[in-house]
């Protein structure tokens, strides 16, 4: 798997996230056919996974968590849905390590 930063291709999404939420940083990554939106706010970090063709696989979440946050999938509780998944990591937990 390869995680590729494609933030420049999603300028409208990034702009809307920054203006409409408490986000301070927004990045968009491509993981094959899966898109990962990384959002960093003062109190938490959020990863949103979307795929138009299939449900998100736990291996994709685990890979992304390791690459971006140096976290194990066992450290978080992903919320899985139809063709999407969401992971929220509190910032206090990030700083404790």
């Amino acid at each position: 798997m390869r995680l590729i930063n494609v933030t420049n291709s999603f300028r409208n999404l990034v702009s809307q996230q920054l203006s409409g939420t408490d986000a301070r940083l927004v990045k968009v990554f491509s993981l094959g056919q899966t898109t990962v939106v990384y959002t960093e706010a003062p109190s938490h970090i959020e990863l949103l996974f979307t795929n138009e063709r299939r449900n998100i696989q736990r291996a994709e979440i685990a890979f992304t968590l390791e690459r971006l946050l140096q976290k194990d999938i066992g450290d978080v509780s992903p919320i899985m849905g139809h063709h999407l998944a969401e992971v929220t990591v509190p910032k206090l937990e990030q700083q404790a390590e």
Side-chain angles (χ1 to χ4, degrees):
M1 280 189 245
R2 290 183 53 180
L3 197 60
I4 300 168
N5 188 336
V6 293
T7 304
N8 289 338
S9 299
F10 289 86
R11 288 186 180 144
N12 289 338
L13 171 69
V14 171
S15 177
Q16 288 174 351
Q17 284 285 85
L18 290 172
S19 67
T21 67
D22 65 344
R24 293 187 177 169
L25 174 68
V26 178
K27 292 184 181 180
V28 183
F29 297 92
S30 172
L31 188 63
Q33 291 184 347
T34 299
T35 301
V36 181
V37 180
Y38 171 97
T39 306
E40 191 171 324
S43 62
H44 66 281
I45 294 172
E46 185 174 287
L47 298 171
L48 176 67
F49 298 79
T50 62
N51 189 311
E52 293 182 10
R53 298 176 187 249
R54 60 170 173 76
N55 288 334
I56 306 303
Q57 300 170 359
R58 288 185 66 84
E60 292 173 311
I61 297 171
F63 176 80
T64 304
L65 283 169
E66 177 62 34
R67 292 285 301 230
L68 296 180
L69 304 177
Q70 293 74 48
K71 291 270 184 203
D72 186 73
I73 194 164
D75 297 338
V76 299
S77 299
I79 300 171
M80 309 290 280
H82 182 69
H83 294 227
L84 62 90
E86 180 181 0
V87 175
T88 302
V89 179
K91 278 271 188 103
L92 296 176
E93 181 180 310
Q94 278 284 109
Q95 296 170 353
E97 292 183 359

